[in-house]
Amino acid sequence: MYDMNKISLVIVLVCFMTLSSFDVSDIISVTRVDPLRKVFPENVAFREMKGAVEVAAGEHAVFQYTVHSSVEVRDLRISCTHLENTKEGTQINSINAGFVGYVGVGSPSEQPSHDMLSSTSGLYPDPIYYLPEYSIPCGQTQAIWVTVSVSSDIKPGLYEGVVNIQGNVGKDHFSVDKPVEVNVYPVVMEEPSFLTLNWYHDTPSNLKLFNDGKEASMYSGAYWKFIKALVDKMKEAHQNVALVNPLQHIIIKQKSDKYSFDFSHFDKIIEIFQEAGITKMIAGTQIGDRSALVWTSPYNLRVPIMENGKMEEHLYPLEDERTQNFYKQFIPALMDHLKQKGWDKIYYQHIADEPIDDNAQSYIAIARFIKGLAPQIKIIEACQSAKLSDAIDVWVPILNAYQSNYEFFKDRQKHGDQVWFYTCCFPKGEYVNRFIELPLIKTRLIYWFAFYYGATGYLHWGFNYWNDHPYEDTTVLDDWGSTLPGGDSFIVYPDKGRLNGSIRLEAVRDGIEDYTLLKMLEKNNPALAHKICGAMIKNWDKYDLDPDHLRTVRHSILEELSKK
């Protein structure tokens, strides 16, 4: 048996002896590390990254630094005020510096990829805390994240500055400067055309987590603060598709067999998205669901019914007279309102989530019914079946279904349909995804993958589907009894009335910027753009995961775009 008290005493004495016997510079190490390499708290050896980060105007340049100490570090602070191009006399002043937090992954991922990361501490880097100061326990490594936002109108050239990292160890103070260099090419990134949709979740439990554990009512001040915080985080990562739940946010009342509709809350949510600049598309959430918790079950439609003085929602079959009565009033009213607001041409409606071959016919029947009521309405759907022709306008197959039916989806594009794809708790194995246990580059390569195979959008269901303790355990148990992989269900974190982003959300943003540069190159030289992308994407589940090679490939893109 081990005497834990003696072991703890020895650790404390070692830390104290280390501090007493050496200069501060001997016990503190600060290293610049490639931000696509995840830093775990137990890591101690790093390869120093050198040189400028190369970007187009309008992109972001990311830097990661590690601080390791054999003793406790207190009052750790970061500052990076500006970068300067002395030749042009211009500056970059939009710089954010934060501390990377560490979270738990409860159940390890099933069907792990060959490159799945494993942490001996059980802690994984993900959230980014923008705090004035931080502390590092004895012997632990802390990652620091610096994001430089490069404006679209900046002059090209080399911008130089320093990041200052300082803190206290014992009675001593240390301060370390590290160079920060960004090389801005004479290229201006276009507005991203890639369509991105993350589903947010505004349940009472999520609102309570955001609101520092305090309950808040729907449409209260705290609720609208929550929605705005979610939307702002989405915009930071180039999301350009708004999401709204029509059956939740339209106030529906029933008197006898007649319905009335109040669109005020529905409008306000869309307007918050549009004020943030998320204007490419509006997606209405599902109006139907499986008739039972069996994956092969046929679909029914949600129908609000007045019962005992209160509106209650039920699932009824399409042919039920209550279903027919409600939707024959609701869909025309919705489309009339969208037209009045000027939103009808950018509105797309989900019907029911993830249809498969077994329930495709029930889905098609509902889609035809809805389109019969509003021929101009467009339908978008995350799907796992190709047997839905003429029912869907924006196909969003799960990635492995996209692979299995690739020729079908290319044909749908030729007929004018859009084709996106989605990932969730599946597919696992070697595919790109957003799981915390995967190398960070696999999240960024989602968008290289989209370019390579011709997808024009990406959907993910889990922006903030938090459990009760999202910092302790990033796995979630879903309604079907399945444990969702760490990070699948959320990519932002609640923090006392605000949201913390994550290094995965940063990789999403950077991947969309990569996609945008590839699309710019494709306009002038399609063959070269696809050849360059093929240097990273080898096949549906085979990729080059070397961050150094990605930067070499990006260099070639920027060089080509710089040619007059």
Side-chain angles (χ1 to χ4, degrees), residues 162-456:
V162 296
V163 58
N164 176 260
I165 300 168
Q166 58 179 293
N168 297 311
V169 288
K171 296 180 179 179
D172 294 310
H173 180 78
F174 73 90
S175 178
V176 177
D177 286 339
K178 283 286 187 178
V180 179
E181 297 177 331
V182 176
N183 185 18
V184 181
Y185 272 73
V187 176
V188 179
M189 185 186 74
E190 297 174 354
E191 180 183 355
S193 62
F194 189 76
L195 293 167
T196 307
L197 173 58
N198 286 282
W199 290 356
Y200 66 90
H201 302 269
D202 58 353
T203 62
S205 61
N206 280 345
L207 177 55
K208 183 178 179 180
L209 280 168
F210 172 80
N211 199 37
D212 198 19
K214 302 168 188 172
E215 293 185 357
S217 60
M218 185 71 75
Y219 311 127
S220 64
Y223 175 81
W224 293 118
K225 180 181 178 182
F226 179 38
I227 295 298
K228 189 174 187 311
L230 289 167
V231 170
D232 288 345
K233 277 297 175 194
M234 292 173 184
K235 179 60 178 177
E236 286 179 16
H238 296 304
Q239 178 160 330
N240 48 18
V241 180
L243 183 73
V244 62
N245 185 331
L247 292 180
Q248 177 186 5
H249 297 302
I250 297 171
I251 300 173
I252 301 170
K253 295 182 180 180
Q254 182 185 18
K255 187 174 183 180
S256 185
D257 61 348
K258 299 297 182 183
Y259 285 91
S260 63
F261 308 99
D262 179 347
F263 292 90
S264 54
H265 297 319
F266 176 86
D267 290 350
K268 185 168 182 176
I269 287 176
I270 294 173
E271 287 162 359
I272 289 173
F273 274 99
Q274 294 198 327
E275 287 166 5
I278 299 178
T279 59
K280 292 284 188 183
M281 180 187 290
I282 301 167
T285 59
Q286 290 83 359
I287 56 176
D289 204 349
R290 286 172 168 81
S291 56
L293 275 177
V294 178
W295 197 241
T296 56
S297 298
Y299 289 106
N300 286 350
L301 281 168
R302 296 186 173 106
V303 180
I305 298 290
M306 178 65 75
E307 293 180 343
N308 301 318
K310 184 179 179 182
M311 296 300 294
E312 299 286 352
E313 189 175 273
H314 297 272
L315 274 173
Y316 292 136
L318 174 60
E319 60 274 12
D320 190 291
E321 64 179 15
R322 293 164 294 189
T323 306
Q324 294 282 321
N325 178 52
F326 172 71
Y327 280 95
K328 285 178 180 178
Q329 297 179 60
F330 176 65
I331 294 299
L334 173 63
M335 295 311 296
D336 286 347
H337 181 76
L338 290 168
K339 189 172 183 178
Q340 290 172 14
K341 299 293 289 187
W343 297 335
D344 54 311
K345 289 182 173 59
I346 61 170
Y347 185 84
Y348 291 72
Q349 182 64 56
H350 290 82
I351 299 295
D353 198 28
E354 298 180 305
I356 59 176
D357 289 352
D358 293 304
N359 52 29
Q361 287 306 308
S362 66
Y363 183 96
I364 291 170
I366 293 173
R368 287 176 177 169
F369 170 66
I370 297 298
K371 287 200 170 193
L373 298 173
Q376 72 274 36
I377 199 169
K378 301 293 185 183
I379 293 176
I380 178 174
E381 205 67 79
C383 56
Q384 298 184 14
S385 173
K387 296 181 178 181
L388 300 162
S389 293
D390 302 321
I392 294 178
D393 301 287
V394 181
W395 298 78
V396 191
I398 193 168
L399 193 155
N400 51 315
Y402 186 26
Q403 177 185 6
S404 301
N405 299 285
Y406 184 53
E407 294 304 319
F408 168 82
F409 289 116
K410 285 202 298 183
D411 184 68
R412 293 318 307 162
Q413 287 175 312
K414 291 176 183 177
H415 283 81
D417 291 349
Q418 293 186 45
V419 175
W420 305 7
F421 69 96
Y422 76 99
T423 61
C424 56
C425 49
F426 296 102
K428 298 175 182 174
E430 304 301 328
Y431 291 97
V432 290
N433 214 313
R434 294 189 346 190
F435 305 152
I436 285 178
E437 295 166 280
L438 291 177
L440 191 58
I441 193 171
K442 268 194 165 174
T443 296
R444 185 163 176 171
L445 286 180
I446 287 171
Y447 306 92
W448 292 71
F449 175 94
F451 178 84
Y452 190 76
Y453 286 105
T456 57

Side-chain angles (χ1 to χ4, degrees), residues 24-59:
V24 171
S25 59
D26 293 326
I27 58 176
I28 298 289
S29 63
V30 179
T31 310
R32 179 186 167 196
V33 178
D34 193 306
L36 283 172
R37 299 188 185 278
K38 291 187 176 181
V39 173
F40 294 88
E42 63 267 26
N43 294 158
V44 294
F46 305 98
R47 186 178 66 174
E48 182 95 32
M49 185 178 182
K50 298 180 179 180
V53 174
E54 299 176 330
V55 297
E59 285 198 283

